[in-house]
Amino acid sequence: MYATLRSAARPIAKADITVCLIFKDCKIQSEDRALDKAYGSVLSAAAKRPECKGELGEITPVHAESRRFLLLGLGEAEKFHAQKLRAAAGFLARTLHRMDAASVHVSLNAAATGNVPPALFGRALGEGLGLGAFKFDGFKKGSSKKKTLQISVSDKTANAAVASGLALAEAANFARQLQATPPNVATTNFIAAQAKELARSLPNVSCTVIAGPALQRNKLVGLITVGKASEYPPCLIQLTYTPRGKAKGTVLLVGKTICYDTGGLSIKPREGMRGMKYDKSGGMAVLGAMQAISRIKPSCRVIALLPTAENSIARDAYRVDDIIKYPNGKTVEITNTDAEGRLVLADGLIYGCKKFKPDAVIDLATLTGGVVVALGSNCAGYWCDDEKLRGKLEAAAAETGESIWRLPLNDDYKDMMKAKHADLWNSAPVRDAHPIQGAAFLSYFVDEKIPWAHIDIAGTADIHKDIAPFVPGPTGFGVRLLAALLEKW
Ligand code: BES
Ligand code: ZN
Ligand code: ZN
């Protein structure tokens, strides 16, 4: 698959492939008519072929002497929006790769963008091509050769915006690569090394890691408890983005980074364990977002915390019935060692709120199977009591197509987490409202005055069916959402 995608400064005159866009009416766009004429009406003839229906993502190859075209279907013009373009561009990327294309020129006139203005069109095209080009095949024999694709668009504004879309896709793909890396490779130490390397490559981001005895000193009891049974020691990874000049506030991002979730002594059943390498997806999304943020350069400081551990099984594994005490004074009775994510997130939330006094906190976590049941893989569940933060998050979700749906969190739910022998339990004895229980538990560890959002990405972080521009596997969900949120902060 393509290793690099680049946007060209000017239209590529002799691109390997020229893409013409068609909607469901199968009409050649007005600006392509001259081209059509110059090549003996091959385009209009192809558009009349019975298999050419202008459906979203449909690709019709057209060969003229010495020139190759593709008609890319965008579906119904009235229903066209940026997310559909990302999907179509995802198909396009894979077709271009199969055709061995090294360069592509997209013919676009303002009218063809319909409801999508040219700047958004260019960006979504870049995102879709970049996301569609992702393939996790580094562990396969004879994995695909590293190729480069050059991209240009005839509309100037759209062309200039392609680079920003490609950069977002690159950040998401960085997260996806780490998400899918297997747990025998992507250990806690490996993730910490990756975070450090990322920070080294970014001029405005630094990285520190709290590990070993420093975990005790910082009272990171969740990490110590959950990580005890693993041969790979737990750690708290911190990345800091520092803007130029005086920072306009601080945003804290916390990402669940469980390198593997066996469930611990409350062991997961066979089929439930499969895919638990993706339990680090919250942290990887935050990591990818930091890469994007470094380029976007918002004027606020951004702190990323990745509580990182493996939930394993060994002689010294933490037990059901253990009671631990957090530095905010709250005691927690362990009722299920498989509800480990909230225990390590609590560390990140307490530590981050106290140390950085952020203006907002957002955590991302593959927290519950319940949210997969409730919302499936097209939409993440989220909880947020702050209207302003909600507005910003939903705007970022609409812009990026990374959908979120709000679920309730009131005192009744918070009361469900009050335990018999400790202040809280990590999982109530009833299965009611499972995803909400997770959010309710976390609420006890965030400073009440700080606007906070919890996003449960268990269903969206990795998918089992095609959701264009994604194929089954990791999606990097949250990278573009967080980047868009901070771009407008
Ligand atoms: N990592 C899982 C959640 C998960 C499940 C993510 C399926 C992706 C797909 C989490 O640590 C977990 O095991 N949650 C339990 C919570 C319960 C024990 C309170 C769950 O969802 O069943
Ligand atoms: Zn678990
Ligand atoms: Zn988990």
Side-chain angles (χ1 to χ4, degrees):
M1 199 33 100
Y2 292 112
T4 331
L5 294 97
R6 271 202 209 98
S7 97
R10 270 171 292 284
I12 307 166
K14 287 196 175 137
D16 290 346
I17 307 285
T18 301
V19 173
C20 299
L21 308 168
I22 52 162
F23 288 105
K24 249 188 138 168
D25 60 7
C26 284
K27 286 215 176 87
I28 298 299
Q29 304 294 324
S30 56
E31 275 189 14
D32 293 334
R33 282 190 204 134
L35 200 63
D36 187 32
K37 230 176 169 178
Y39 285 86
S41 304
V42 280
L43 297 174
S44 41
K48 284 192 195 110
R49 296 211 301 253
E51 71 270 27
C52 184
K53 298 190 174 76
E55 302 279 7
L56 181 72
E58 173 199 274
I59 293 171
T60 311
V62 186
H63 293 277
E65 55 241 41
S66 72
R67 197 149 172 191
R68 291 191 291 172
F69 296 95
L70 291 176
L71 298 182
L72 177 64
L74 298 180
E76 282 177 55
E78 307 78 55
K79 290 190 183 160
F80 182 61
H81 56 73
Q83 188 61 5
K84 296 208 169 172
L85 176 58
R86 289 186 193 99
F91 292 118
L92 177 62
R94 291 192 282 280
T95 303
L96 291 170
H97 185 263
R98 266 199 308 279
M99 294 174 81
D100 236 354
S103 56
V104 63
H105 176 69
V106 179
S107 173
L108 173 73
N109 60 49
T113 65
N115 317 323
V116 183
L120 179 58
F121 192 102
R123 185 164 168 156
L125 179 72
E127 283 175 64
L129 286 170
L131 294 168
F134 175 82
K135 196 170 184 189
F136 183 74
D137 62 358
F139 288 83
K140 272 192 161 171
K141 191 166 163 236
S143 57
S144 53
K145 276 199 275 18
K146 304 248 172 287
K147 292 193 219 168
T148 302
L149 181 69
Q150 292 265 10
I151 305 151
S152 71
V153 184
S154 53
D155 180 89
K156 244 186 173 170
T157 312
N159 191 59
V162 171
S164 66
L166 287 175
L168 284 172
E170 191 186 323
N173 289 347
F174 170 71
R176 293 165 87 187
Q177 176 68 30
L178 288 173
Q179 277 185 278
T181 302
N184 56 332
V185 176
T187 62
T188 56
N189 301 329
F190 176 91
I191 298 295
Q194 290 286 317
K196 283 185 185 164
E197 202 181 308
L198 174 71
R200 262 198 301 275
S201 74
L202 305 174
N204 42 19
V205 174
S206 62
C207 175
T208 51
V209 177
I210 299 176
L215 289 170
Q216 287 283 5
R217 281 202 299 281
N218 287 286
K219 304 192 173 66
L220 299 166
V221 290
L223 278 167
I224 294 168
T225 304
V226 171
K228 270 198 303 182
S230 173
E231 59 182 305
Y232 306 109
C235 60
L236 181 68
I237 302 169
Q238 181 193 323
L239 293 103
T240 306
Y241 159 78
T242 314
R244 290 183 86 184
K246 197 173 169 350
K248 289 195 192 115
T250 299
V251 175
L252 173 67
L253 308 176
V254 184
K256 171 178 171 180
T257 312
I258 293 295
C259 293
Y260 199 70
D261 184 9
T262 64
L265 290 178
S266 314
I267 191 169
K268 284 185 181 292
R270 185 173 22 190
E271 279 313 309
M273 203 181 297
R274 185 140 185 260
M276 279 303 139
K277 66 173 179 178
Y278 290 116
D279 217 18
K280 56 184 177 303
S281 297
M284 299 311 95
V286 168
L287 211 54
M290 290 307 272
Q291 189 195 92
I293 287 163
S294 161
R295 289 191 204 173
I296 291 167
K297 301 188 182 62
S299 50
C300 60
R301 175 171 71 147
V302 184
I303 308 283
L305 290 176
L306 277 62
T308 305
E310 184 187 13
N311 190 18
S312 194
I313 303 172
R315 190 176 54 183
D316 43 5
Y318 77 124
R319 291 160 290 250
V320 169
D321 290 348
D322 281 353
I323 293 179
I324 59 175
K325 184 170 185 184
Y326 282 88
N328 68 347
K330 292 268 182 290
T331 54
V332 174
E333 179 182 354
I334 308 301
T335 47
N336 190 327
T337 64
D338 199 8
E340 82 299 335
R342 58 199 74 182
L343 298 175
V344 303
L345 283 170
D347 281 348
L349 295 171
I350 296 175
Y351 179 88
C353 287
K354 183 149 187 246
K355 184 148 182 192
F356 306 107
K357 313 248 176 307
D359 301 291
V361 182
I362 298 136
D363 79 73
L364 266 80
T366 47
L367 207 69
T368 66
V371 89
V372 192
V373 176
L375 298 173
S377 43
N378 295 74
C379 187
Y382 95 101
W383 291 259
C384 180
D385 280 342
D386 185 84
E387 205 180 319
K388 238 172 126 186
L389 181 56
R390 240 167 23 221
K392 288 182 177 184
L393 271 169
E394 296 206 356
E399 188 186 322
T400 58
E402 295 200 309
S403 308
I404 55 174
W405 192 261
R406 186 172 165 231
L407 292 164
L409 177 54
N410 55 35
D411 286 345
D412 293 335
Y413 292 115
K414 290 183 189 171
D415 288 346
M416 278 179 87
M417 304 317 288
K418 290 183 177 157
K420 272 219 179 81
H421 296 151
D423 298 328
L424 304 168
W425 38 37
N426 70 335
S427 173
V430 291
R431 275 194 72 83
D432 303 15
H434 243 185
I436 309 182
Q437 285 190 34
F441 180 87
L442 295 175
S443 73
Y444 288 96
F445 300 91
V446 185
D447 200 324
E448 264 185 12
K449 293 180 282 300
I450 305 177
W452 162 63
H454 160 58
I455 309 180
D456 192 335
I457 59 168
T460 53
D462 68 286
I463 53 175
H464 305 280
K465 53 174 185 185
D466 283 301
I467 305 179
F470 300 104
V471 290
T475 61
F477 187 98
V479 172
R480 289 176 300 124
L481 179 75
L482 292 175
L485 177 77
L486 282 148
E487 186 168 20
K488 301 230 166 74
W489 192 256

